[in-house]
Amino acid sequence: MTASLSSTWNYAELRPDQLEARVAQCPLAYVPWGALEWHSVHLPVGLDGLVAAAIAERAVERTGGVVLPPMYLPITTLPHRFSISFHAATVRAVLDDLFAELARVGFHAVVLLSGHYAQGHELVLIDAAERAVEQHRLLVLATPPLALLGEEYLDHAGRWETAQMLAIDPRLVDLQRFMAALEQFPAGHVADLGVLGELPLAATAGGGEVVIEAALAELDRWAQRLLQGDSQALRAFYDRRRAAYESFVRTYFRESYEEAAAAWWADRLRRD
C-alpha cells in the first residue's frame, strides 16, 4: 500500500517527487536532536533523541512538513562511561552546515527539538539558530520541547523525563532498578544517581502524555508563527531562554562550555 502525501513525512523515506510536493505544501522541517548520555540506572542512554523524535513525529502530523532522522550530537553530557559528547566547535559547524542545506533545499522554517537540556548545549543551538536567520533568512526554533511549558519541567532522569519515556515506550523504563539503587544513597544525594529534579518515582505514563500534548499544542502555535515569518516572537523567546542561563554563564563560564559544565556538575555534587 502506497503512503499518501498527507501521511508521508519522513525525509529519509521520501522520493524526490514526494519531497518536492511536501516542501511546497509546507516548507517546515523538524530536526530531532538527542544525546547518548547517562540517564541514571532506570532509563535508556538514548532517551533524549528517542523523546525528541517521538514528539517530532506527532508534531508533523498536525502541522505538515517533514521530519529528518534524529541527530545525536550533544555537548556537555553528564560524566559517565557510556555518555558520548562532542566539542562545541564540532556541533556549531554541523548546525551551520545543516541550516544552510535546509535553506538551500527550500525550507522556510525549522523546528529543532532538543531532548538534551544542558545549559551550554542549548546556548550553542540558540546561537546557530540566530545565525541561520541572519545568513539564510531561515527561521529556526531550537528548544527542548518542555521548555515551551516552563523551566520546572526541565529535569534530568527525574519525574518528567521518566514520564515522557513511560508514555512513549514503557518497555525502556525500569523503576524497580532505580528503587534498588536509591537504597544505596542517603536522602538528598540523588545527583550521584544522575537525577536532577523530582524523583522519577513520581512519574506516570499519564503524566507524560499530558506534558507531551501540552508541548505539541505549543509547537503547533510556533509552526504557524515561523511559517508566517514572525522573527520577533522568535527573538523574544531566545532572550528568555538566555536569561534562564545567565546565572550559569556568569558563575561557571571561563573558556568553554565544556569546562563550565564540568565545574557546574562538580559543584552540584558537592551541594547535594
Side-chain angles (χ1 to χ4, degrees):
M1 176 176 168
T2 303
S4 66
L5 176 62
S6 62
S7 64
T8 303
W9 42 256
N10 188 325
Y11 193 105
E13 296 179 358
L14 292 170
R15 299 188 309 269
D17 62 304
Q18 294 174 312
L19 270 171
E20 184 87 38
R22 194 71 172 170
V23 174
Q25 182 188 59
C26 181
L28 171 65
Y30 287 89
V31 180
W33 204 275
L36 298 174
E37 178 185 33
W38 177 47
H39 280 83
S40 193
V41 299
H42 64 294
L43 293 171
V45 296
L47 176 142
D48 294 341
L50 295 170
V51 168
I55 292 176
E57 289 167 7
R58 289 172 62 170
V60 77
E61 292 176 348
R62 300 182 179 208
T63 65
V66 299
V67 176
L68 272 71
M71 301 187 74
Y72 288 83
L73 284 170
I75 68 169
T76 65
T77 54
L78 290 190
H80 191 274
R81 174 187 171 190
F82 295 116
S83 292
I84 297 175
S85 64
F86 296 82
H87 294 296
T90 301
V91 177
R92 288 190 188 100
V94 170
L95 287 166
D96 286 346
D97 284 351
L98 174 64
F99 293 148
E101 284 294 284
L102 292 176
R104 180 190 59 77
V105 166
F107 291 105
H108 296 171
V110 174
V111 175
L112 190 154
L113 293 177
S114 176
H116 187 50
Y117 297 162
Q119 305 95 327
H121 175 83
E122 188 176 349
L123 290 168
V124 166
L125 297 186
I126 290 171
D127 288 344
E130 293 191 326
R131 286 195 299 275
V133 176
E134 295 170 4
Q135 296 174 7
H136 310 295
R137 300 177 64 84
L138 181 71
L139 293 190
V140 179
L141 173 67
T143 184
L146 297 195
L148 301 175
L149 307 182
E151 198 72 22
E152 65 270 24
Y153 294 102
L154 299 181
D155 62 10
H156 187 271
R159 177 182 181 181
W160 297 114
E161 282 203 320
T162 303
Q164 289 176 91
M165 199 72 252
L166 283 170
I168 291 166
D169 192 343
R171 300 171 304 165
L172 302 182
V173 181
D174 188 347
L175 285 172
Q176 293 297 321
R177 184 174 294 274
F178 179 80
M179 291 175 65
L182 191 59
E183 295 176 359
Q184 303 175 27
F185 292 88
H189 285 257
V190 291
D192 291 302
L193 280 172
V195 174
L196 303 173
E198 292 183 66
L199 288 179
L201 301 177
T204 65
E209 187 62 30
V210 167
V211 293
I212 288 172
E213 276 296 316
L216 286 168
E218 288 297 318
L219 287 169
D220 195 356
R221 285 188 278 271
W222 269 107
Q224 296 176 42
R225 292 186 190 118
L226 296 174
L227 291 169
Q228 291 167 2
D230 191 349
S231 59
Q232 186 173 352
L234 192 61
R235 191 177 306 112
F237 176 74
Y238 286 147
D239 286 345
R240 292 193 299 273
R241 294 305 300 152
R242 281 199 175 94
Y245 293 132
E246 185 176 340
S247 176
F248 166 82
V249 173
R250 184 175 59 252
T251 304
Y252 297 105
F253 186 84
R254 297 297 179 267
E255 299 293 333
S256 71
Y257 285 127
E258 290 89 344
E259 292 178 0
W264 173 83
W265 180 243
D267 195 24
R268 185 65 184 255
L269 290 176
R270 283 193 295 269
R271 291 201 311 270
D272 290 348

